[in-house]
Amino acid sequence: MMIEQAEKWKKRMTALFFIFCIALCGVLIKAYLDGKFDSAETLQQYIAGFGLLAPVVLVTVQAVQVVLPVLPGFLGCIVGAVMFGWAGGFWCNYIGISMGSLIAFILARKYGQGLVSKMFPGKKYDKWAGWAAESKSYTVLLFLGMVLPLFPDDYFCYFTGITKMSFRKFAAIIIVGKPWCILAYSIIFSTAAS
């Protein structure tokens, strides 16, 4: 009896979470289509419109921009630093981008190569899949990609989900590698804004 109730509760919570995710994506896609993500200024106005919830909205936007790599994540780093200073912007961006990276990995692990091959354009998928399967230095490349700016790390979060790397190892790379570039962006953009 308790097991049945636990299963029902689990199914209801999963359904509610799924509905929440669809609604959230709908809201963000509408904002994107309305031009709220066209520039740092429009994104800043959009996020500022949420008042006290603005940091939560920025964290959410940064998580979603990793999961749906069509959204401009670089703008979120600028907006966070301008709105909340270098420290507040750093934490909002770091938490959001790290959460999105972990979600992308989990989605790739669950839905496999079919999903990931759609994320990588054309022959790039075959090239990287072959290299990652054979390479002993993929972990090093992934770590450097998290540390260095302008690396297509959103795609590599998905791609790593279909490798043999464990979630624990991937999470450690994200936690240790992600903050440095985001911290540098936060300090640079906060200084430029003052």
Side-chain angles (χ1 to χ4, degrees):
M1 186 78 166
M2 293 278 284
I3 295 173
E4 286 179 25
Q5 288 178 341
E7 283 298 316
K8 284 182 184 178
W9 185 81
K10 186 178 175 182
K11 286 180 182 179
R12 286 182 189 148
M13 293 308 292
T14 302
L16 284 173
F17 180 71
F18 185 70
I19 291 167
F20 171 76
C21 288
I22 289 174
L24 177 63
C25 286
V27 167
L28 291 176
I29 289 170
K30 180 180 180 340
Y32 177 76
L33 294 174
D34 289 345
K36 305 295 185 189
F37 297 95
D38 287 347
S39 68
E41 292 78 24
T42 58
L43 182 58
Q44 183 176 349
Q45 290 169 358
Y46 177 69
I47 291 175
F50 289 92
L52 292 175
L53 292 177
V56 174
V57 172
L58 179 59
V59 167
T60 304
V61 166
Q62 288 296 70
V64 170
Q65 69 82 20
V66 176
V67 177
L68 301 173
V70 296
L71 299 175
F74 189 75
L75 293 179
C77 289
I78 296 170
V79 169
V82 170
M83 288 183 72
F84 309 118
W86 74 267
F90 164 75
W91 284 110
C92 289
N93 289 312
Y94 175 58
I95 292 168
I97 291 170
S98 296
M99 284 174 35
S101 298
L102 297 174
I103 292 168
F105 178 93
I106 291 167
L107 288 172
R109 185 62 46 100
K110 182 166 178 68
Y111 296 106
Q113 291 180 342
L115 174 67
V116 177
S117 64
K118 289 180 174 69
M119 306 300 289
F120 276 81
K123 293 182 181 180
K124 284 187 178 180
Y125 172 79
D126 295 329
K127 176 184 170 186
W128 283 102
W131 180 78
E134 308 278 323
S135 176
K136 294 181 181 178
S137 60
Y138 181 74
T139 302
V140 173
L141 175 73
L142 182 65
F143 179 77
L144 289 174
M146 297 303 126
V147 172
L148 298 173
L150 305 177
F151 189 81
D153 48 347
D154 299 347
Y155 294 108
F156 277 84
C157 293
Y158 278 102
F159 190 77
T160 306
I162 60 170
T163 67
K164 293 180 181 179
M165 185 178 292
S166 70
F167 177 78
R168 176 180 280 178
K169 185 174 187 178
F170 178 75
I173 290 171
I174 294 299
I175 290 167
V176 174
K178 273 286 181 199
W180 307 110
C181 187
I182 297 170
L183 181 61
Y185 284 152
S186 298
I187 293 170
I188 290 167
F189 296 134
S190 177
T191 303
S194 14

